[in-house]
Amino acid sequence: MTSQAADGPESVAATNRSKLTPEREQEFFDAVLDQVRECGYEAVTMEGIAASTRCSKSTLYRQWKTKPQFVVAALRSRRQARLTGIDTGSLAGDLREAARATGRWSTNDTKLLQALGHAVNGHEDLALALREAIVHPEIEALRDILRRGVERGEIAADHPALEYIPAQMFGVIRARPVVDGEYADQEYLVRFVEAAVLPALGLT
């Protein structure tokens, strides 16, 4: 990336932040995250985002003074509980459905994690935003699914495998590109749940 000084954030730092419509703001967020996935964090520039969204570079700097601030805001904008509403009536069914749902977006999320892997080491806010956007919602949703299984009496609250299931699910999604050279799609994740997760819980 060109330096922030070369890009000139100081020239707009004193300018009041202008009002963007939610749709236009989301367009900026989508553009920066798309470029992070495709090019890697270090290669992303304010100039590139400005060109792809047909705006001036100063517009971006008025909203977000630095690239890290911009990416952090984009990550936080996409935090959502995407597994909310899954309730098949059984823990095994919920875990299968969670696998299918996760498989629909796991490739994009994994690419984002890979692209930001090195950058987050030097940016605490960036690391926190990444966890808030991708890691925490998945983990908490899976814990909720497991908690409902306990409440329904399908599995004991002190079952030793319970605490490891979120890490298993999250880990296999992120590890498969490294191990197999392929992303974890819906079919793969359902097979993983059937072969590894349900047996660990004593479910069929």
Side-chain angles (χ1 to χ4, degrees):
M1 175 193 176
T2 55
S3 69
Q4 297 296 340
D7 282 339
E10 295 84 358
S11 64
V12 295
T15 306
N16 290 333
R17 193 171 190 262
S18 58
K19 181 69 173 175
L20 293 176
T21 65
E23 295 77 15
R24 184 57 167 159
E25 186 175 60
Q26 193 59 53
E27 184 181 350
F28 289 141
F29 290 156
D30 290 343
V32 71
L33 294 181
D34 284 346
Q35 287 202 18
V36 168
R37 289 188 192 97
E38 293 171 12
C39 308
Y41 176 81
E42 297 302 331
V44 173
T45 65
M46 291 298 217
E47 293 98 325
I49 302 303
S52 68
T53 55
R54 295 184 175 86
C55 74
S56 68
K57 188 171 57 178
S58 61
T59 296
L60 297 181
Y61 278 119
R62 276 195 296 271
Q63 307 300 320
W64 307 282
K65 300 298 184 285
T66 66
K67 183 176 76 169
Q69 288 181 23
F70 188 13
V71 176
V72 165
L75 286 168
R76 287 180 171 152
S77 77
R78 66 188 301 283
R79 179 184 169 93
Q80 52 185 309
R82 293 176 294 193
L83 298 180
T84 297
I86 292 177
D87 190 356
T88 66
S90 74
L91 179 54
D94 287 354
L95 289 170
R96 291 187 186 98
E97 189 56 35
R100 294 186 188 97
T102 302
R104 289 194 284 269
W105 66 75
S106 62
T107 296
N108 274 347
D109 281 2
T110 301
K111 287 181 177 178
L112 199 54
L113 279 165
Q114 291 170 330
L116 289 170
H118 176 69
V120 297
N121 292 331
H123 296 285
E124 184 177 344
D125 287 346
L126 194 59
L128 179 59
L130 185 62
R131 289 194 296 271
E132 290 175 346
I134 295 178
V135 181
H136 292 170
E138 289 184 16
I139 297 300
E140 288 307 311
L142 286 168
R143 285 175 178 159
D144 285 342
I145 286 172
L146 295 169
R147 191 177 302 117
R148 290 200 304 271
V150 170
E151 291 169 355
R152 287 193 295 256
E154 296 177 81
I155 188 168
D158 61 352
H159 193 292
L162 278 175
E163 70 171 301
Y164 302 109
I165 301 304
Q168 269 189 298
M169 294 285 287
F170 186 84
V172 73
I173 292 168
R174 309 312 169 205
R176 196 187 186 204
V178 177
V179 175
D180 295 332
E182 298 179 56
Y183 289 100
D185 59 14
Q186 293 183 59
E187 180 183 354
Y188 179 86
L189 290 173
V190 171
R191 286 192 284 113
F192 175 76
V193 166
E194 297 274 4
V197 177
L198 298 185
L201 293 170
L203 302 173
T204 59

